[in-house]
Amino acid sequence: MVVSLRTMSLQDRRRFIKLGSAGIAALATGCADATTNAATEPGTVQAKGPLVLSTWKHGMAANAKAWEVLRNGGDVLDAVEQGVAVVESDLSNRSVGLGGMPDRDGHVTLDACIQDHDGRAGAVAFVQRFEHPISLARAVMERTPHVILAGAGAERWALENGFTPRDVEIPEVRAAWLEWLKKAEYKPVVNIENHDTIGMVAMDPDGRLAGSCTTSGLAFKIHGRVGDSPIIGAGLFVDGEAGAACATGVGELVIRTAGSHSVVELMRQGMDPTEACKEAVRRIIRQNKDMDGKQVGFLAIRADGAFGGWSVYDGFDFALRSTDREELVPAGHDRKWEG
Ligand code: SD4
C-alpha cells in the first residue's frame, strides 16, 4: 500500500510537483491513508501514479525525461512522447531512431506509435529520414482521423505538416551493413545481443495512463517490413480502465498474439501485471515450437498502479521510475539464454 494521490488535496498534488521525487514520500507521512511508498517488486501494488516504466537500459534516460515532464505538472502523453524522444535522438543507439541498423537494402526505416488514457492512438510505419517518429505518430493521432500512416505517404504528410527530415550517415552502420551483405544471411532474430526498441508506459499522479513505442526494427529486415512497434494491440496497448502494456523483441511473434492487448485484457480480469506479462509470453511460446534465441518481453502497469514485466529469456531489464525508485529491474523470464 502506498499513498494514493487521488486521496490528496489539490494543494498536496501541487506540492508533489514542487517537491519532485521526494514529494510523495514527504507527503506520505502526513497523509491519512498512507503507509509507505513501497513499490518494491514488480507486481507490487503502488496505489496509482506517478510511475514510469520503459524497456532496456536506455529506458533510464527516457524515464528521467518523462519524470521531469510529470514533475513539472505536464501531461502523461507529453511525458511518454518526450521520454522516448531522448532515445530517438541518440545516434549511438542501433535499434531506435536514425542511428538504427538499416534494412537489407541499406535504408533505416522507423516504426512508432502512441496511445493515451482514453484509447486515442496514432502511429507511423516504415518511415525514413525523420528523427522523431514518435512525434509523427502523435501528430497522426491529433491531426488526422486515422491511426496509422505508412511509408512514402507518411513522409509526405509529415513534410506537409511542418516536420523537417534529417539525413544521417553513420560510417559504422554503413560498414556493418556492407559486412552483412557479404553473406546476406537473413536472420530476423532479436536476441539478447540485438535488441533495444523502446516501449514506455506511464501513469501520472491522477492515475491517467499513456504509452509510446519506437524502433528501427530488426536489423537487415526486408525493405518494407513492419514490426509490432507501430501496431496498437501488439507493441503497445493502453486502456485507462484496465492498464497499459508494451512489448519488445521479435515483432512477428508479438503481432500474431496481439501481445500487449492480451496483457491489458488479462489485467482487466484482475490478473497481476507480472502474471499477465508471463501469460502473454507463454502464449507466444506455446504458439512457436522454435523459440531458439527469439526474445520477447512485456511491461505493464495496471489501472491501480501495480506493475510488472516478463520475458522469454533472461537479460531483459526494464527501467523503473517511481517516487522512491530509479533503477533498472531484471524482468522475470521463462528460459535461460545459452547463446
Ligand atoms: C520489431 N519489436 O521491429 C521490434 C524489435 C525490437 O528490441 O523490439 N527490438 O520487431
Side-chain angles (χ1 to χ4, degrees):
M1 250 318 273
V2 283
V3 175
S4 166
L5 285 189
R6 274 200 192 290
T7 64
M8 286 184 178
S9 65
L10 191 60
Q11 198 189 12
D12 276 350
R13 281 182 209 190
R14 290 203 179 116
R15 277 174 64 208
F16 155 69
I17 288 163
K18 221 165 129 203
L19 290 169
S21 57
I24 297 279
L27 292 174
T29 26
C31 192
D33 71 340
T35 52
T36 60
N37 187 24
T40 47
E41 296 304 319
T44 301
V45 174
Q46 149 164 325
K48 299 292 180 179
L51 177 66
V52 184
L53 304 183
S54 57
T55 55
W56 307 109
K57 191 174 172 201
H58 54 203
M60 296 298 286
N63 283 8
K65 181 66 191 178
W67 193 260
E68 183 190 312
V69 173
L70 291 178
R71 202 186 55 206
N72 290 328
D75 195 283
V76 66
L77 196 64
D78 291 331
V80 299
E81 179 190 0
Q82 292 179 32
V84 300
V86 169
V87 181
E88 289 181 333
S89 290
D90 176 3
L91 293 181
S92 70
N93 190 307
R94 294 285 166 261
S95 29
V96 178
L98 294 173
M101 283 298 196
D103 61 22
R104 66 186 192 180
D105 296 349
H107 304 288
V108 177
T109 75
L110 306 173
D111 296 338
C113 75
I114 195 162
Q115 192 166 30
D116 75 6
H117 188 84
D118 303 313
R120 295 192 315 148
V124 288
F126 185 47
V127 292
Q128 297 176 55
R129 300 176 64 226
F130 287 93
E131 182 172 347
H132 291 301
I134 196 63
S135 300
L136 300 187
R138 181 167 177 178
V140 169
M141 172 176 114
E142 292 180 337
R143 302 185 207 168
T144 80
H146 309 302
V147 173
I148 309 180
L149 294 183
E155 290 158 14
R156 200 178 70 206
W157 184 86
L159 286 174
E160 287 164 4
N161 280 271
F163 291 91
T164 309
R166 180 176 173 195
D167 289 306
V168 171
E169 263 288 339
I170 302 175
E172 177 196 311
V173 170
R174 191 170 162 76
W177 174 60
L178 292 174
E179 188 56 37
W180 177 83
L181 276 181
K182 287 182 189 162
K183 280 195 191 158
E185 205 182 339
Y186 190 52
K187 269 213 285 188
V189 164
V190 178
N191 60 37
I192 61 173
E193 291 99 34
N194 166 23
H195 53 65
D196 282 356
T197 285
I198 183 154
M200 175 181 281
V201 285
M203 179 181 262
D204 75 9
D206 292 324
R208 288 184 67 79
L209 290 161
S212 56
C213 192
T214 177
T215 191
S216 56
L218 300 182
F220 315 127
K221 62 197 175 185
I222 294 173
H223 188 62
R225 180 264 186 188
V226 172
D228 60 316
S229 303
I231 309 293
I232 298 297
L236 178 73
F237 193 64
V238 182
D239 179 335
E241 285 182 1
C246 62
T248 181
V250 183
E252 283 72 8
L253 305 186
V254 178
I255 294 171
R256 286 189 207 127
T257 50
S260 293
H261 181 260
S262 300
V263 173
V264 171
E265 291 311 308
L266 291 165
M267 293 194 296
R268 192 193 304 277
Q269 291 161 30
M271 198 180 269
D272 170 86
T274 305
E275 291 300 316
C277 292
K278 191 191 290 185
E279 172 56 21
V281 161
R282 296 209 171 147
R283 285 181 187 178
I284 288 173
I285 292 173
R286 287 199 293 274
Q287 199 182 68
N288 295 278
K289 279 201 180 62
D290 178 15
M291 285 299 297
D292 201 22
K294 294 174 186 158
Q295 177 67 301
V296 173
F298 292 101
L299 293 183
I301 304 178
R302 202 170 58 189
D304 62 0
F307 64 91
W310 197 266
S311 55
V312 177
Y313 291 101
D314 59 331
F316 172 46
D317 297 330
F318 65 90
L320 160 67
R321 185 74 160 99
S322 68
T323 47
D324 61 352
R325 296 178 72 186
E326 182 173 19
E327 64 196 83
L328 207 54
V329 180
H333 52 271
D334 269 78
R335 299 177 180 192
K336 207 145 180 59
W337 173 244
E338 310 288 355

